[in-house]
Amino acid sequence: MKTGFLFAVASMAITPFLFASNPILPDGFMQVGDAIINTAPGSMTLVTEIAPDGTTSSHMVTMPESEQQKEARAKFLEGQTTFPLTVTSHPSAHGGGYEYPSSVYVMKPYDFYLLTEDQAVSVFDVPAGVYNIQVLYNDPYHSMVVFPNVEVSGPTEIDSNIDMADKTVSLKIYMPDGELMTLPVDGQPEIPYNTPKLVCHQSVLVGGCCQWTHSITASIGGDETYKSFTLKSNFGEGSEAYWLALTYHNDFGNVGVSRTIDGADVTQSMIVANNVDDYYKVEVPCVHTPVYDDKGLNNPIKYINFGIYRPDNNVRSALGLSEVTPGDLYICSPLNDLDKLHTFTIVGDVDIWQQYGPKYGVNSPSLSHPDGNLYFYCTQEDSGYNKNMEPGYGKAPVNPYFSFPYNKDYVMGSTSAAAVTIAKPAGSAENPFYNYTVDSYYGNFGDRRAADVAIFEESGSLNGEPYDPKQYRNLFAWLSTLAADGHQPGQIDITFTDYNIRVDEIDGINVCKISYNEANDDVIPPTVQRVMLKDADGNPSIKFDKAADAILTVAGGDFTPVVTNVDMGNYNSDFTVYDYSPATLKAEYAPFGTDDFEEIPMAEDVDKYVIAYGSYWEGSLENAVTRTSPNKWYDLRITLTDEAGNTQVQTISPAFMISEVNPGAVRNLSQSGTSLRAIDGSIVASDGSEVKVYSISGIEMTNANLPAGTYIAVSGALRSKLIIK
């Protein structure tokens, strides 16, 4: 059996965490055998382990609420007219002592809930509204009685009884070849099996809500293994059952299965199974980015996450696999319907390996199959813009204009990066300010480059005077000091530089500069959300035979943070959403390594605006790229400007390759005969022309006695990146 590690996540967001023997885990994580359980604050996860000898042990993992969550609930209830919502649990007609439920949850769809434990009568004081209720019992089935869409407009009473959980539904898992999943049988090694261990999450949603998950790790089985994966409830309209399982098959490798069923379709003693025809093989190649050479420590780790999402793109449960010896992965999930519970898979690489801290790499966009064919979906997973612009709506939707059919030739991490910047409210009431940073870097295939976010460099200046990094530990400290020192408001320029780019063995760079004037009411620069070059069929590509084959697409705009208390108890009392305003776009290209940019005509398509992503622009390179480049590669410069004059300007180098430009090329820099080189701490031009030298953050330097480092040298129309050693 090959080496791999299973880990389980029961949370509101997928976050990959990798581990080896005796891991040091982040706060809020715990290891159970080969599984890591991550519970969202306030939620409960029943952890059951079935050992190789058949012994079953269970314990509840409850994450305490944070003080911030408690404060948010108090603010939600403060000043409201409330009514008693009484949930009374009556004794079972069959005895057994289950008149006391283990817990009762009163919930709203967007993660607001109230909880009581071990009470026959639970009284909740709630404002008028519609609520979803879970009543959980501690019988062998862990029965759940659900009450969806309970309307409260005055004193309301609900009667519950464990006998109301009158239906069971169990899952059978079939492998890609149609063979039933079989675990080892204790004491009977002669009986063949195909699955040495399995991790499964299962629960019942009511109105899209669920605070309780059952996580099962099974190492033993038999003819009735499926009974371990049984849910017992009253089900009905407004409820949904789900299972999410991950295992290793002796022949196929890693196998993940998700299965959902509408509660209204559940019948007594029902057995459901996954559809073997829904299997797909995940083959998403990744390459290590340059940082791996120094910080990867030669790790071979690959990670895979797959999770079940609500229609509002909020993940309900997730499982992951971290592999030392990467192998095949098969995922079986129902055809993807974004209007129902649906499954996404994310595959990633690890480029920064830290023994005692988080790990970073590059991961693919979300992968699933809407119609039998695989598709990469553009989401805002793990993005600061993931929450919608409209309070209470949920998470950002899928953007169809940057989603595209699966192709295993798309290599994650192999293209240049585009930066997404973000402004976050910081400081205090007496000293408020914004912290400006990079939220995400995305490659041309929609791949999220967490490694780049971990290591980008930053610098800033006030009225052209750069801050001294010896005086301030980072940009945040400098901005904090500016907010408090009472200086005359001026022009702020902040530059984020990403060197972690390698394209076709070319060392690349992303230089992203944001600018604003402190005297303006609006000090939030706009940002791109996606930059993608596409071929004539609309699929992402960076290599084109002719300019006519290439289309540049950009999404973005002006996103202003607004601090608000979101209705119905989103937990963070200082919850931040982002209002959207339009911005103007200018796109330019230049032969690689030069500063000789020319504009690319771009047109906005207002029908392709998507909330949380912004406006959509598109432009063909057919009549735009009219010059050759010595190595056939070209740089992009994208400029966004908002109504206040704030700007984001980023240079992406190299961005794309064109083998043959338009015959009407007006200039050919490869025949200019001019070259730049470093000599004795200076940079000189071969034709003796003047050379201006800039730091990588854009600060002009004296072209003499330059210390070791990377510089941008400009001589006329020629621009090159040079390294002085």
Side-chain angles (χ1 to χ4, degrees), residues 195-209:
T195 302
K197 182 171 288 189
L198 175 140
V199 175
C200 181
H201 282 178
Q202 59 192 45
S203 194
V204 179
L205 302 181
V206 50
C209 304

Side-chain angles (χ1 to χ4, degrees), residues 489-505:
Q491 180 71 23
I492 297 287
D493 297 309
I494 297 171
T495 301
F496 306 108
T497 307
D498 177 17
Y499 299 100
N500 192 41
I501 296 169
R502 186 179 294 136
V503 183
D504 259 18
E505 302 304 317

Side-chain angles (χ1 to χ4, degrees), residues 169-304:
V169 57
S170 305
L171 175 69
K172 279 190 174 182
I173 297 175
Y174 289 90
M175 295 295 121
D177 61 355
E179 181 184 29
L180 181 66
M181 179 206 76
T182 54
L183 288 158
V185 178
D186 182 35
Q188 301 182 59
E190 72 280 1
I191 297 179
Y193 63 91
N194 56 32
T195 302
K197 182 171 288 189
L198 175 140
V199 175
C200 181
H201 282 178
Q202 59 192 45
S203 194
V204 179
L205 302 181
V206 50
C209 304
C210 183
Q211 289 293 128
W212 185 91
T213 302
H214 191 185
S215 176
I216 304 168
T217 300
S219 303
I220 199 68
D223 293 337
E224 297 185 346
T225 299
Y226 70 88
K227 287 188 176 179
S228 298
F229 310 112
T230 297
L231 294 166
K232 189 173 184 181
S233 178
N234 55 329
F235 295 106
E237 293 286 346
S239 69
E240 297 167 286
Y242 74 80
W243 297 262
L244 193 67
L246 186 61
T247 187
Y248 179 82
H249 186 281
N250 292 342
D251 296 327
F252 293 100
N254 304 297
V255 178
V257 172
S258 71
R259 181 68 164 89
T260 64
I261 183 171
D262 192 303
D265 297 329
V266 175
T267 59
Q268 178 58 266
S269 303
M270 189 177 189
I271 297 175
V272 298
N274 59 309
N275 185 348
V276 174
D277 292 337
D278 288 337
Y279 269 108
Y280 58 90
K281 187 177 182 180
V282 177
E283 297 179 273
V284 183
C286 297
V287 296
H288 289 302
T289 59
V291 69
Y292 179 82
D293 298 341
D294 297 325
K295 297 186 178 182
L297 302 183
N298 296 315
N299 85 83
I301 297 292
K302 303 280 185 180
Y303 62 81
I304 301 103

Side-chain angles (χ1 to χ4, degrees), residues 25 83 110 137 219 236 241 248 307 316 319 372 546 567 570 603 692:
L25 303 176
F83 305 97
Y110 302 107
Y137 295 89
S219 303
Y248 179 82
R316 304 314 304 159
L319 289 172
K546 298 177 295 183
D567 191 20
N570 281 280
K692 291 187 177 182

Side-chain angles (χ1 to χ4, degrees), residues 78-411:
E78 183 179 2
Q80 298 243 34
T81 299
T82 61
F83 305 97
L85 170 59
T86 303
V87 181
T88 302
S89 182
H90 301 279
S92 168
H94 306 291
Y98 294 115
E99 66 269 26
Y100 292 93
S102 58
S103 57
V104 177
Y105 282 100
V106 173
M107 303 170 291
K108 296 289 284 186
Y110 302 107
D111 310 325
F112 170 86
Y113 75 93
L114 299 169
L115 166 68
T116 62
E117 296 182 81
D118 300 318
Q119 295 181 25
V121 180
S122 299
V123 181
F124 305 89
D125 291 318
V126 296
V130 177
Y131 297 87
N132 298 288
I133 299 172
Q134 287 177 324
V135 183
L136 291 138
Y137 295 89
N138 200 27
D139 63 312
Y141 281 103
H142 310 291
S143 296
M144 181 188 302
V145 178
V146 299
F147 301 90
N149 303 318
V150 175
E151 185 170 354
V152 175
S153 56
T156 304
E157 295 186 359
I158 298 291
D159 290 318
S160 178
N161 185 308
I162 191 173
D163 300 336
M164 296 171 68
D166 57 353
K167 301 182 184 71
T168 62
V169 57
S170 305
L171 175 69
K172 279 190 174 182
I173 297 175
Y174 289 90
M175 295 295 121
D177 61 355
E179 181 184 29
L180 181 66
M181 179 206 76
T182 54
L183 288 158
V185 178
D186 182 35
Q188 301 182 59
E190 72 280 1
I191 297 179
Y193 63 91
N194 56 32
T195 302
K197 182 171 288 189
L198 175 140
V199 175
C200 181
H201 282 178
Q202 59 192 45
S203 194
V204 179
L205 302 181
V206 50
C209 304
C210 183
Q211 289 293 128
W212 185 91
T213 302
H214 191 185
S215 176
I216 304 168
T217 300
S219 303
I220 199 68
D223 293 337
E224 297 185 346
T225 299
Y226 70 88
K227 287 188 176 179
S228 298
F229 310 112
T230 297
L231 294 166
K232 189 173 184 181
S233 178
N234 55 329
F235 295 106
E237 293 286 346
S239 69
E240 297 167 286
Y242 74 80
W243 297 262
L244 193 67
L246 186 61
T247 187
Y248 179 82
H249 186 281
N250 292 342
D251 296 327
F252 293 100
N254 304 297
V255 178
V257 172
S258 71
R259 181 68 164 89
T260 64
I261 183 171
D262 192 303
D265 297 329
V266 175
T267 59
Q268 178 58 266
S269 303
M270 189 177 189
I271 297 175
V272 298
N274 59 309
N275 185 348
V276 174
D277 292 337
D278 288 337
Y279 269 108
Y280 58 90
K281 187 177 182 180
V282 177
E283 297 179 273
V284 183
C286 297
V287 296
H288 289 302
T289 59
V291 69
Y292 179 82
D293 298 341
D294 297 325
K295 297 186 178 182
L297 302 183
N298 296 315
N299 85 83
I301 297 292
K302 303 280 185 180
Y303 62 81
I304 301 103
N305 289 311
F306 77 112
I308 292 179
Y309 291 71
R310 292 190 313 207
D312 65 1
N313 207 31
N314 198 323
V315 68
R316 304 314 304 159
S317 186
L319 289 172
L321 176 70
S322 162
E323 291 196 283
V324 175
T325 308
D328 291 341
L329 174 69
Y330 289 84
I331 295 292
C332 185
S333 66
L335 294 183
N336 198 6
D337 184 345
L338 296 178
D339 293 327
K340 300 179 180 179
L341 288 179
H342 55 278
T343 303
F344 282 147
T345 303
I346 296 173
V347 178
D349 221 338
V350 178
D351 288 348
I352 300 175
W353 179 266
Q354 297 172 339
Q355 185 176 4
Y356 300 112
K359 287 78 183 173
Y360 303 91
V362 173
N363 62 259
S364 70
S366 298
L367 181 67
S368 193
H369 56 151
D371 54 9
N373 298 309
L374 288 177
Y375 228 72
F376 281 120
Y377 288 84
C378 175
T379 68
Q380 292 282 34
E381 190 69 51
D382 294 327
S383 164
Y385 295 99
N386 201 8
K387 284 290 183 182
N388 210 301
M389 308 304 111
E390 298 174 358
Y393 177 83
K395 293 196 173 183
V398 166
N399 189 324
Y401 309 112
F402 294 90
S403 301
F404 49 93
Y406 164 84
N407 186 325
K408 66 180 180 181
D409 293 333
Y410 297 143
V411 180

Side-chain angles (χ1 to χ4, degrees), residues 546-548 550 588-592 596-601 620-630 632-635 656-671:
K546 298 177 295 183
E588 302 168 280
Y589 85 97
F592 173 70
D596 195 14
F597 283 95
E598 286 193 0
E599 189 166 355
I600 301 170
S620 172
L621 303 190
E622 180 175 7
N623 297 314
V625 177
T626 58
R627 286 175 287 152
T628 60
S629 177
K632 301 183 180 180
W633 284 95
Y634 294 85
D635 298 342
F656 61 93
M657 185 185 78
I658 295 179
S659 298
E660 180 183 341
V661 300
N662 251 336
V666 297
R667 273 186 289 171
N668 189 333
L669 295 184
S670 65
Q671 298 176 1

